[in-house]
Amino acid sequence: MVKDEQAMYEEISKYIEQACYEEAEACIHAETEKTGYTDILAILEAEICYQKQEYQKMFSCIQRGLIYNCRNYELYFMLGQYYLKHNPKQAYLCFEQAAYYCDDVQDQSVIEDAKETLAIQGYRVPEVSVIIPSYRAKAELSLCLDSLRETIDVTSNEIIVIDNASDDEVTEYLKRQNDIRLYCSDTNLGFPAACNLGIIMAKPDHDILLLHNDTMVSVNAVFWLRMGLYESEEIGAAGSVSNSISNHQQVKQEFEKGSDYMLFAEENNIPMEHPYEDKLRLVGFSMILKRSVLNRIGLLDERFSPAYFEDDDLSYRIIQTGYKLLLCKNSFVYHFSKGSFRKNLRLYFDLVDKNAAKFKEKWGFDCQYYRYERYTDCFDQILTGGIWEHIPKEHVSAVFRKLRRWAGKDCMITGSIYNREHPWCHLLPKEYKNQDIGIADADHVTGYTAEEWIDLLNAAGIRVEEFSFVKESRAEGVTEPYQYFWRGRFAQRGSLS
C-alpha cells in the first residue's frame, strides 16, 4: 500500500470514529474515482453503513469488496455482523471463515470471542467430514485433495477417503497423505457403499459433504455450501454448481481450462442477493447434508451400487421427511466429469437403465420423467415488466431464447426499459436521492438507449409492434424520454437462423 493511500484510509477511519459519515463517504467516493474500489474501501464503507443501520447497502459493499479480494477476513467478519440479527448460525459461519483467513493475532482473538459468544448461545454450527470415494484417477484425486486443503481448515474439519481397490500407485499416494483418514478396500464397493463407510467413520457430530474424486473445490465453495445448508432449519441438504453436471446445476460460463474456472469462482463465490434455488433432487458430486437429517433418513441405499440414482433416492427421502433441497449458485466446484463408468458407454447406459428400474420399483414412479424440463408452446402473452436492466447485457439473448421456448403461436411479449440517455440516469437531483426512483435503482447492472433495445429485440427474432415512451413529470425542463414501453411478437419457429 502506497503512503498516499494509507494516509487516505487513516483519514476516512478518523471521520468514521467521529461519526462524520458524509465526509467519510465523500473521501471514499473520491478515492474510488482515483484508484478504483478496493477491499479496504469496502470495509470502511461497510462500517459506515453498519453504524447508520443501512444493512442492505452494507451487504452490497461487502459483496463488492469480496469480488476484489475473496480472502479478506475483515469482510467476512463484517458479513457475520450483517447476519447476526436474522441468522446467528450463518453469522457463526462467517466468523469461522474470518478466523480461517485471519493473519493478525489480536484480530484473531476478537473473532474467536465472537464465535464463542454465539456458541454459548446455542448457535454453534457442526464441522464437516468430507467423504471422497476414490477409484484410480490419481491426477484428479490429488488435485481434489490439494484444493480442499486450500479452502477448508483440515484440522477442525476432516477428509475421509474410501479407496475402492485402486491400483498400487493410487493406494501408495493416499497412504502418504498425513492429513486424511483413509480406508483401503480390497474390493470395489461402489459409490453408495463407500459413502456409507465414510459416514460411519466420520465424527458423529459432523455434517457430511459427499464429494466426487474428480473435482476441484474452488475458494470458499464449502463455506457458501454450508451457508446454504443453514439458510433455515428447513434445509436438509445443499448442492454446488459446476462446469459439467446434470440437473440444471451447470453454470453458463464456458472456459477452456480448469484454472480459468477456478479464477471465475473467485468472483462467483461471493454474497449474492438471490443465491439459492429449491430443487427436487441434487447430484451427489458435491452435496452437503446435515448430520441430524442424515440420522433421520438413514444412509445411502446400497441397492443402487455401484452407482447412479443413489442421490435421487437420497434426495427423495430428504424431501419426504419434510426438508428442502437447496442449490447454492455461489458454491462452484469444478468437475472433470471423467467418471469410471462413463468411459464405457454401454456399461454406463446399462447401469442407468437398471437403477432407474430399481428406483421405480422402490418408490412407484419413474424419476427420470421429472429430471428434465419439458417445454410446450403454451403461452399467448409473456409480460416481462422492467427486468431487463437487472440482467447483464451479454445474457439478454439467452433469456429471450429461453422465453421463446414457452411462446405459443403468434405469442405477444411486452416489457419496459429506462432511457439510458435521460439526465437522471447519470445525475439524480439531490432532493430525490432517498426516494424510490426507478431509473436510479442501485440493482441495475446495465442500461439501454431506444436504438440499442430495438436492435436486441430484432436480433432475438421479435417483431416490434409498439414502442412508446413517457416523460418524468418531476424532471422539469428535461425533454428526453424517461421510460420506454414496448410490445412485439416472436417470429415463427424456423424463421430464425
Side-chain angles (χ1 to χ4, degrees):
M1 186 183 299
V2 298
K3 189 177 293 185
D4 288 347
E5 285 182 343
Q6 181 64 36
M8 174 59 76
Y9 296 150
E10 289 175 358
E11 181 181 359
I12 296 170
S13 297
K14 286 181 181 178
Y15 280 135
I16 295 173
E17 289 172 7
Q18 297 165 5
C20 299
Y21 302 131
E22 287 191 11
E23 291 85 350
E25 287 172 334
C27 289
I28 290 172
H29 179 74
E31 190 66 16
T32 301
E33 290 289 314
K34 180 181 174 183
T35 63
Y37 202 72
T38 66
D39 53 337
I40 307 300
L41 290 176
I43 293 167
L44 295 169
E45 189 174 13
E47 178 62 29
I48 294 170
C49 296
Y50 180 71
Q51 296 299 332
K52 295 170 68 175
Q53 297 185 9
E54 296 176 348
Y55 297 116
Q56 200 53 43
K57 187 177 178 183
M58 175 187 179
F59 183 88
S60 298
C61 295
I62 295 168
Q63 180 187 54
R64 292 176 66 192
L66 287 173
I67 290 174
Y68 185 88
N69 179 5
C70 62
R71 298 172 177 84
N72 187 305
Y73 72 88
E74 291 180 81
L75 287 171
Y76 287 104
F77 185 78
M78 300 199 79
L79 192 61
Q81 291 178 310
Y82 168 83
Y83 279 108
L84 265 178
K85 288 190 175 181
H86 60 275
N87 194 321
K89 287 191 174 182
Q90 287 182 319
Y92 180 92
L93 288 170
C94 292
F95 293 148
E96 187 177 82
Q97 194 72 352
Y100 174 69
Y101 284 124
C102 183
D103 55 2
D104 182 280
V105 175
Q106 288 185 330
D107 286 353
Q108 185 80 37
S109 177
V110 172
I111 296 167
E112 292 296 339
D113 286 346
K115 273 180 59 185
E116 188 58 29
T117 298
L118 287 175
I120 292 170
Q121 294 172 354
Y123 297 115
R124 182 187 298 276
V125 176
E127 282 80 17
V128 177
S129 294
V130 185
I131 312 298
I132 307 174
S134 75
Y135 181 68
R136 299 178 179 173
K138 175 178 174 288
E140 289 85 353
L141 175 61
S142 63
L143 288 171
C144 177
L145 293 177
D146 287 343
S147 69
L148 278 169
R149 293 175 180 123
E150 292 174 5
T151 194
I152 67 168
D153 184 351
V154 295
T155 58
S156 57
N157 302 287
E158 62 178 356
I159 303 171
I160 299 173
V161 179
I162 308 299
D163 187 63
N164 276 326
S166 296
D167 52 53
D168 291 342
E169 183 185 13
V170 173
T171 304
E172 291 304 315
Y173 161 76
L174 287 170
K175 288 178 178 178
R176 293 195 300 269
Q177 310 309 304
N178 297 323
D179 54 356
I180 69 171
R181 297 177 63 193
L182 175 65
Y183 180 88
C184 294
S185 174
D186 294 332
T187 60
N188 190 338
L189 302 172
F191 187 80
C195 286
N196 287 342
L197 182 56
I199 293 168
I200 292 167
M201 288 175 59
K203 294 178 181 178
D205 58 343
H206 277 206
D207 289 333
I208 299 296
L209 172 57
L210 305 179
L211 187 67
H212 282 196
N213 66 325
D214 61 338
T215 58
M216 286 194 296
V217 181
S218 63
V219 60
N220 301 318
V222 176
F223 166 70
W224 289 111
L225 205 55
R226 295 173 76 198
M227 288 287 281
L229 190 64
Y230 286 91
E231 170 69 10
S232 78
E233 295 300 320
E234 295 178 318
I235 309 303
S240 300
V241 295
S242 188
N243 58 298
S244 178
I245 203 66
S246 62
N247 194 38
H248 303 285
Q249 294 181 221
Q250 187 164 317
V251 298
K252 297 175 182 176
Q253 291 78 2
E254 294 183 3
F255 304 100
E256 291 185 3
K257 300 177 182 177
S259 56
D260 292 332
Y261 277 103
M262 300 300 270
L263 288 174
F264 153 76
E266 294 196 4
E267 295 188 2
N268 179 78
N269 299 355
I270 60 168
M272 291 182 181
E273 291 288 344
H274 305 289
Y276 306 127
E277 179 182 329
D278 288 336
K279 302 293 285 187
L280 292 175
R281 59 182 285 263
L282 290 170
V283 182
F285 87 106
S286 174
M287 180 180 181
I288 192 168
L289 303 100
K290 285 177 181 169
R291 170 65 82 159
S292 57
V293 173
L294 197 56
N295 288 342
R296 286 189 63 185
I297 67 170
L299 299 173
L300 282 71
D301 191 336
E302 296 182 16
R303 79 179 70 190
F304 297 106
S305 292
Y308 303 120
F309 289 88
E310 73 284 337
D311 45 8
D312 297 78
D313 175 78
L314 191 64
S315 296
Y316 186 62
R317 283 189 282 143
I318 290 170
I319 290 176
Q320 200 178 44
T321 312
Y323 293 97
K324 293 182 178 181
L325 305 174
L326 215 60
L327 177 66
C328 301
K329 297 177 184 178
N330 54 357
S331 172
F332 176 87
V333 171
Y334 181 81
H335 191 207
F336 287 98
S337 193
K338 297 177 181 177
S340 54
F341 298 111
R342 292 187 184 232
K343 293 175 183 177
N344 184 332
L345 288 179
R346 176 171 291 182
L347 174 61
Y348 166 71
F349 287 117
D350 285 347
L351 276 173
V352 168
D353 291 342
K354 181 180 177 181
N355 282 357
K358 288 180 180 179
F359 187 98
K360 186 175 182 179
E361 180 184 18
K362 178 177 179 179
W363 295 111
F365 68 93
D366 182 4
C367 74
Q368 292 195 94
Y369 178 78
Y370 299 97
R371 281 184 163 202
Y372 308 106
E373 291 182 19
R374 295 173 299 283
Y375 298 104
T376 57
D377 303 338
C378 53
F379 290 110
D380 297 321
Q381 297 182 31
I382 296 176
L383 313 179
T384 67
I387 66 171
W388 300 103
E389 284 91 354
H390 299 270
I391 299 172
K393 191 173 292 187
E394 63 270 20
H395 295 162
V396 167
S397 295
V399 173
F400 275 128
R401 285 196 298 272
K402 287 187 176 181
L403 289 175
R404 193 173 186 278
R405 296 172 183 171
W406 294 96
K409 184 179 180 181
D410 208 30
C411 175
M412 182 178 72
I413 180 169
T414 69
S416 66
I417 60 166
Y418 291 102
N419 179 16
R420 183 165 60 86
E421 295 181 325
H422 192 278
W424 281 16
C425 195
H426 309 287
L427 184 62
L428 189 66
K430 189 174 183 179
E431 60 268 29
Y432 297 125
K433 285 199 172 176
N434 294 322
Q435 297 186 28
D436 183 15
I437 304 294
I439 202 169
D441 190 332
D443 291 332
H444 285 179
V445 296
T446 189
Y448 301 94
T449 64
E451 292 78 11
E452 289 171 341
W453 189 248
I454 290 172
D455 286 344
L456 278 169
L457 293 176
N458 289 333
I462 295 172
R463 184 175 69 255
V464 180
E465 295 182 346
E466 179 185 343
F467 205 91
S468 58
F469 67 86
V470 295
K471 294 183 180 180
E472 172 54 65
S473 60
R474 292 171 292 182
E476 296 181 7
V478 177
T479 60
E480 288 90 343
Y482 177 75
Q483 189 174 15
Y484 294 108
F485 297 90
W486 55 272
R487 185 184 76 231
R489 295 185 188 274
F490 283 102
Q492 294 299 307
R493 277 168 166 61
S495 62
L496 290 176
S497 58

